[in-house]
Amino acid sequence: MIRFVLLLSRQGKVRLAKWYSTYTQKERAKVIRDVTPLVLGRPLKLCNFLDWKDNKVVYKRYASLFFVMGIDESDNELITLEIIHHFVEILDKYFGNVCELDLIFNFHKAYFMLDEMLIAGELQEPSKKAITRVIEAQDQMVENAKMGTTPTSQQRA
Amino acid sequence: MAKLQNMRGLQNFISDIRACANKEHEKTRVDKELGKIRKKFASGGNISEYDKKKYVWKLLYIFMLGYDVEFGHKQAADLIPATKYAEKQVGYMACAILLNEKDEFLRLIINSIRNDLISKNEAFQCLALGFVGNVGGQEMASLLAVDVMNLLTNGAVRAIVRKKAALCLLRLLRKAGPEADILQADTWSVKMANLLEERDPGVLLAIVTLLLGIVSRSYEGYEGLLPKLVAILDRLKKREVQPDYTYYGIASPWLQVKCLRVLQYFPITDDPALLNILLEILRKIITGTEVAKNINKNNANHAIVFEAIALALALEADTELLTASVGLLGKFISVREPNIKYLGLENMVRLAEVPAVNDAIVRHQKSIVASLKDTDVSIRRRALDLLFTMCNRNNARDIIHELLEYLEIADFSLREELVLKTAVLAERFFPDLHWYVDVMLTLIDRAGEFASKDIWHSTVQIISNNEDLHEYGARKVYEALQRGSVHEALVCTAGYVLGDYGNTMKGVPPSELFALLQERFPSMPPHAKGILLSAYLKLCLMAPQDIQLKEQVMEVLSRYARFMDADLQQRAVEYMGLVMHPDVAKRNVASKPPWEKRGSLLLRRLMHRAGGEEPDEQEHKPVWMQDENGDAVESPTAVQFAPPQAVPTSPSANGHADDDLLGEEAAANGDLPPASIPQPVDPLADLYGLQTGPAPAQALPAGPADPFSVSGDPYALTGGQSGADLRPSGDTEEWFRRLCASSNGVLYEDSCLQIGVRSEGFRGPSGQLLLFFGNKADAFLERLLCVVPPTPQFQFQLGAVPARLEPKKQIQVPLMVACVSTFLDAPRLQISYTLASGQQCNQSLRLPLTVNKFCRAPENAIPADMFFTRWRTLAGPPQKVGERITRTLQLSKPAVEKLILDMGLGPQPGLDPSPDNLVAAATFCFAPPGQQPQQVACMVRIEIERTRRLEAQVTVATPDVNVTASLKNLLVQLITKL
C-alpha cells in the first residue's frame, strides 16, 4: 500500500502531504525531514526508487515539483510510478496545464482530487474522466449550497 | 478558470505568506492570522458558513507550513455534522489532514460519520467512506464495518459509492483486531465471488484490492475464486475493457497487477486446465511484451511483467519459462534505463534462489558486476544483494574477487554491509583454507575501520583450528605487516597469530616480529595493547636466548606495570613475572586450544543487523532492571553488589574480557606458584614522583573540616600584601556549584591565573578532567605546582604541569580519574604559584568530582512498582535521608528539573502522585581495583511546598550510606542556591 504522498517543491517546501499509515505529528515531520534531502539531492537520470528504512520511496519530478510516494518494500514500484503520473494527468486535466502556483493557491483542490484517486493507500479510480466528473459535480454542489444560504438565513430572520 | 471558486481571503493570505522575505516574517504573519481566527471562533456563533470554511482552509494552509493549529481541530470537526455539502466537505477534509487514527477527537465525530454512512445522500456517504478509509482505526472498525459492508454488497448502491466502500472495508480489515467479526470467509467467499462478476472496472479494481488484503492474511475459504480471477485476467489480456479504462493502450494495468499479485497468495491449483491457462497468460506476458517508445506505456507494461515473473516463481513454473524470465531480466540489467536496471536486479534476486536457473543467471554475471560501479547507489545496492544471493561454490572465487576489488572504491554507506557479506560468502563457499585466509586478510586490510571484530575473530579461529594453516597464516600476517598495514583489526590478528605460530616461520626471528608489532603498539587502543602484550610474552618465550628481545619486552612491560588501565597493568605485572621465570612460564603459557565450533560468528552478526538481538553483546542489565526477573534484592547490601559476578578465574580476563576472543589467556590457569607472583605494586606509589621540592600538601593550609565551606582561608595569606590581588575574582563555591551540573566551566580565577575544567567520559566509574591553566598576566607565573592529594576513594593520573607558565598562554593538563569506592566528599586540587615579585598564591580547590558525575541515568522509565518497592525497602537513615531547604526566592519545578537533568540524573515523571514533586533515579558506578564495576541504585525525591514555593524537602535513598549522604548534601546545596 501507499503509506504517504508528498508533493515537494525544488526548495523542499511541502505543497501537499497525505498519510495513509498512522504517523504522529512528530513522525510525519521526521519523514519529511528525512525524505526531502534524499529525493532533492538525487542527480537527474538516476532511477526513481530509493530504499528508505523498511519502506521504498518512489518519486518523480515534474517541472519544479517532486511527487513522492512511500510504499511497502514488496510493492510494485513501476505501477506506483504510473499512479504518480496518473495523478499528474488528473491535475493537468482539471487545471489545464497545471503549474506549481495552481497547487499553492488551490491546495484544497489537489487534496480533493487525491481523495478521489486514492483511498486507504490504494488506487480507487483508474479513469481520469470519472475523477474529473466527480470533482466537477462536487464544485457544483458547493456552488448550489452557496446559493442556498440566502433563503435559509432569511427564514431564520 | 471559472470552476475554481474564489475565496479571496484565502488567496490573499497565501499571497501574503508567499511575499514574506524570511521565516520570521512568515511567523509574524501566521501568528497574526491565528490570533484573528482564534478570536473569531471564540466570539461565538456569529460566523457565516463561508467564513467558517475559509478559516479552516487557512488553518490547513498554516498547518502545512509546519505550525501547530491544535485549537482548530474542534472547528474542523464541528463542520462534519453540518447539513450542507460545502461545509461537510471541508470538515472531513480538514480532519483527515489534521488528525490520525489515535486522536481522541475521532470519538466525538464517530456518530456523525455513521449518520452520513446510513443516510440516503450519496455525496455524504462518499465523504464519510473516504474519511474512514483514510483515518479509521480499530474503534471505527468495530462500530462501522457492518454499515460499510452493507454499502458494498447492496446492488442498488451506485458504483461510485461501492468502490469507496470496498477500499474503506480494506482499511477497517487492516485495523480490526484478530477477533473482530469482519469479512468471515464462510459468508464472504460467496459474496466476493458475486462481487468479482462486477463489470465496472473501477469497482472491480477496488474489490480485487480488497481481496488482496483478505488473502494476504489467509486464503483459506477463498480458493473457489481462482477461476474468476484467471477469467478477469484473461479478459484484460484480450483487451475487453471500456476505453476510459485503458492506460496508454493497455487494458487497466492496475487491475492486471493486482490480479497477478492476488494469485501469488494461493497455493498452486490442482486443476491442470486452469493452471495451463494461467501459465499461458504468463508466458505471453513474459515473452511477448515489446518495448514501446512511450515511457508510461513501457512502465505499465513492465510493471505487469515483473508481477508475472513473481507469479511464475510462485507457481513453480517450468524451467523454460523461468529461464525466459532470467533472459529478460538479464537484458534489463544491461540496459541504460536506470529504473529497468534497478528492477531487473531486484527481481533477479528472487530467481537466484531457484537452483534450476542458477546457471542461466551466472551467464549475466558480468553485467551484474558492472552494475556495482553504476553511478546510482540504489542500483549498486541491488547489485550487491544479487551477487550475494547468486554466489555458489562454482562462482564464489570470481564473485569474492570482484567484491574485494569493489571494496577499494565502494562508498562508505555500503562498506560495512559489503565487508560483512564478503566475509560470509568466503566462510560459506571457500574452496580451500589457504584461499580463505588470503581473502580474509585482504578483507581486513582493505576494510579498515569497517572490519568488525567478528571478521578478524573468524580469521584467527580458522587459523588456529587448522594446523596446516599455522605457518601459512603467520607468514601472511607477517607479510601484511611488512607491507605497512597498520589497521587495528590486522594488528590484533597479527598479535594472536604471531604470538602462537610466529616460530613456525623459518628464518624470521621473534625479535623481528616484535619490532613490527611494537611499531604499531603506541597507536593501538587498550584492548589491542593487551593482545600485543600477550604476544610479546610469547615471542620472548620463543627465543629464550635472545637477551636483547627480553630487555625490550621487559622495558615495555615495566612501563605498563604502572599504567592506569587495570587490565593492562595486571597483564604487564604478571608477564614480567613470567619473563623472569621462564621455567614457570613454560609450564603455564600455552598456545590457544582449538576452538569449539559454535556456529558462524558472521552469520550471527548478519542476523543481528537484520533486526535480531545478538546475545553476546548485550550489556549487563542496569542495576535498576535486575530485580525484574524474580531475584528481587531485599537487603540493601545485596543491591549494592549486584549483579553477583563470578570471580573471574583469570585475573587478566577482567576489564576487556569482551575483546578477548580467546576466552583463556596465556597466564590464565590461575595456579601460578607463589614464587612467580610479582611483588605487589602500589599503583599510585610513583605517580606523584613528578613533584620535586617540598610536599605541597604541607605547604598549603590544611583542608577544612566542613567539606562545604570555602577552602581554608586563603585570604589570610595574601590579604595584607600589596601588589597583584591574588584573591579569587569570584565566588569559588559558585564556580564549583556550576561545574557540578555542567561539563565545563571555570574552576578558579584571580587576576593572574585562570583554571578552566572540561570533563570527558564519566557517567560511569571513570573519566577525564581536562584542566586549562591560563596565565592572564604579562609576566611569568613561577613555580607553578598542581597536586591532587591521593585519597583511597579515587585513583588519579595527572599529566605533567610545567613549572613556569608563559605570559598570556594557556596549557592543558589531563587528569584521569577512576572512582574505586563510594565517597563522601569531592577530592581536592591544590595549586600554588609565585609571581616575580615574590607574592605567592596557594589555593585548595574542590574538584567537580561529585557523586552525580559517576551516575548514569536509567535508559528507560523505571516502573512505578519497582521504584516504590525499593523506596520502601530503604526504611530510613542512614540509607534514606531527608533535609528541608528554606529559600528566599521562589522555587520553580522546571528549574529543579533542569538541574536534575544537568546533573545527569534521570527524572521519572509520573511516578510521584503529586505533580508538584519530582522524582529521579540514577545508578552510581565505581570500580574497585581488580573487581567488576559495581553499581548503586539511587532514588531522589524533591517535594516543593505548594503555596509559597519557598521550602522544599529533598529525600535521597540509596543502599549505600556514603552515596546517600553525599548526594543529599549536594542536592541541598545546589537547590538552596538555585
Side-chain angles (χ1 to χ4, degrees), chain B residues 554 557-566 568-577 580 676-688 795 797 929-930:
Chain B
M554 282 302 274
L557 291 177
S558 58
R559 205 153 12 103
Y560 278 84
R562 289 182 196 144
F563 195 64
M564 176 93 184
D565 185 292
L568 287 181
Q569 190 191 81
Q570 190 151 9
R571 276 182 201 244
V573 169
E574 282 169 13
Y575 295 170
M576 273 165 74
M580 299 313 289
S676 75
I677 296 176
Q679 295 298 308
V681 178
D682 177 357
L684 291 169
D686 231 32
L687 289 182
Y688 301 99
Q795 281 181 356
Q797 194 163 341

Side-chain angles (χ1 to χ4, degrees), chain A residues 7-13 15 39-40 60-67 98-104, chain B residues 18:
Chain A
L7 258 64
L8 303 170
S9 77
R10 230 170 3 169
Q11 292 76 35
K13 284 213 156 59
R15 298 299 181 206
V39 169
L40 300 190
K60 181 143 192 193
R61 182 175 161 177
Y62 289 87
S64 60
L65 275 182
F66 286 85
F67 289 68
V98 65
C99 67
E100 193 183 343
L101 277 182
D102 290 327
L103 298 182
I104 294 171
Chain B
R18 285 177 56 74

Side-chain angles (χ1 to χ4, degrees), chain B residues 144-195:
Chain B
L144 303 176
V146 176
D147 299 318
V148 178
M149 286 192 269
N150 285 341
L151 285 175
L152 175 60
T153 49
N154 185 340
V157 175
R158 282 215 303 158
I160 183 169
V161 180
R162 290 175 58 221
K163 69 179 184 199
K164 284 183 200 284
L167 292 178
C168 181
L169 207 48
L170 174 60
R171 165 98 190 185
L172 297 182
L173 177 71
R174 284 173 182 158
K175 295 292 165 188
E179 73 297 333
D181 178 29
I182 176 170
L183 296 168
Q184 294 298 338
D186 43 356
T187 52
W188 269 86
S189 57
V190 182
K191 289 184 185 167
M192 284 307 277
N194 285 330
L195 288 169

Side-chain angles (χ1 to χ4, degrees), chain B residues 818-838:
Chain B
C819 177
V820 298
S821 81
T822 61
F823 60 93
L824 268 175
D825 302 330
R828 287 181 172 272
L829 172 76
Q830 306 194 327
I831 53 142
S832 69
Y833 65 90
T834 316
L835 292 181
S837 63

Side-chain angles (χ1 to χ4, degrees), chain B residues 420 424 427 454 457 598-610 612-617:
Chain B
L420 207 53
V424 169
E427 189 178 275
D454 291 340
H457 286 190
R598 46 171 186 173
S600 161
L601 288 162
L602 292 166
L603 280 178
R604 274 191 307 165
R605 178 100 183 172
L606 208 60
M607 267 150 61
H608 172 62
R609 277 172 57 88
E613 285 275 325
E614 195 176 9
D616 283 13
E617 296 210 347

Side-chain angles (χ1 to χ4, degrees), chain B residues 70-340:
Chain B
E70 207 167 319
F71 81 93
H73 293 184
K74 184 179 175 312
Q75 319 305 337
D78 281 350
L79 290 175
I80 287 183
T83 49
K84 294 214 183 59
Y85 179 79
E87 287 167 60
K88 208 181 259 300
Q89 184 196 32
V90 177
Y92 272 122
M93 168 65 58
C95 285
I97 293 172
L98 296 172
L99 307 178
N100 77 23
E101 68 170 273
K102 303 263 162 64
D103 250 289
E104 289 292 312
F105 240 95
L106 293 183
R107 292 235 165 99
L108 305 177
I109 50 177
I110 206 159
N111 266 331
S112 315
I113 298 173
R114 177 150 197 271
N115 288 338
D116 286 338
L117 282 179
I118 56 175
S119 74
K120 293 284 171 248
N121 187 325
E122 198 176 71
F124 290 5
Q125 287 172 331
C126 284
L127 287 175
L129 285 170
F131 182 79
V132 177
N134 290 335
V135 188
Q138 200 171 340
E139 195 170 356
M140 289 201 194
S142 55
L143 290 172
L144 303 176
V146 176
D147 299 318
V148 178
M149 286 192 269
N150 285 341
L151 285 175
L152 175 60
T153 49
N154 185 340
V157 175
R158 282 215 303 158
I160 183 169
V161 180
R162 290 175 58 221
K163 69 179 184 199
K164 284 183 200 284
L167 292 178
C168 181
L169 207 48
L170 174 60
R171 165 98 190 185
L172 297 182
L173 177 71
R174 284 173 182 158
K175 295 292 165 188
E179 73 297 333
D181 178 29
I182 176 170
L183 296 168
Q184 294 298 338
D186 43 356
T187 52
W188 269 86
S189 57
V190 182
K191 289 184 185 167
M192 284 307 277
N194 285 330
L195 288 169
L196 286 178
E197 298 288 340
E198 176 67 49
R199 288 287 149 164
D200 181 293
V203 181
L204 190 56
L205 175 65
I207 286 166
V208 175
T209 308
L210 172 62
L211 182 60
L212 179 57
I214 296 172
V215 298
S216 66
R217 300 182 141 202
S218 162
Y219 64 82
E220 275 174 45
Y222 291 93
E223 295 91 337
L225 301 182
L226 271 177
K228 290 194 186 284
L229 288 164
V230 177
I232 295 171
L233 207 50
D234 197 38
R235 262 200 332 263
L236 288 169
K237 285 282 94 166
K238 290 180 182 145
R239 305 207 181 184
E240 292 170 15
V241 68
Q242 291 129 295
D244 265 9
Y245 287 88
T246 55
Y247 184 80
Y248 290 90
I250 306 163
S252 189
W254 337 97
L255 185 53
Q256 291 195 44
V257 166
K258 286 287 179 215
C259 286
L260 290 166
R261 183 55 73 97
V262 174
L263 288 166
Q264 290 168 41
Y265 282 97
F266 287 102
I268 303 169
T269 169
D270 45 15
D271 175 353
L274 188 65
L275 185 62
N276 268 339
I277 299 175
L278 191 52
L279 286 175
E280 200 42 49
I281 294 174
L282 296 182
R283 201 178 315 277
K284 264 190 199 150
I285 296 174
I286 293 169
T287 59
T289 302
E290 283 166 14
V291 177
K293 275 205 175 135
N294 180 290
I295 179 150
N296 300 101
K297 180 169 187 170
N298 256 343
N299 281 345
N301 264 332
H302 287 130
I304 299 169
V305 169
F306 289 123
E307 216 56 68
I309 292 176
L311 180 56
L313 263 174
L315 294 177
E316 293 169 16
D318 46 297
T319 318
E320 195 194 328
L321 186 54
L322 293 183
T323 311
S325 308
V326 171
L328 187 62
L329 295 180
K331 218 164 38 182
F332 288 169
I333 292 171
S334 54
V335 297
R336 290 246 306 278
E337 218 282 288
N339 285 347
I340 294 297

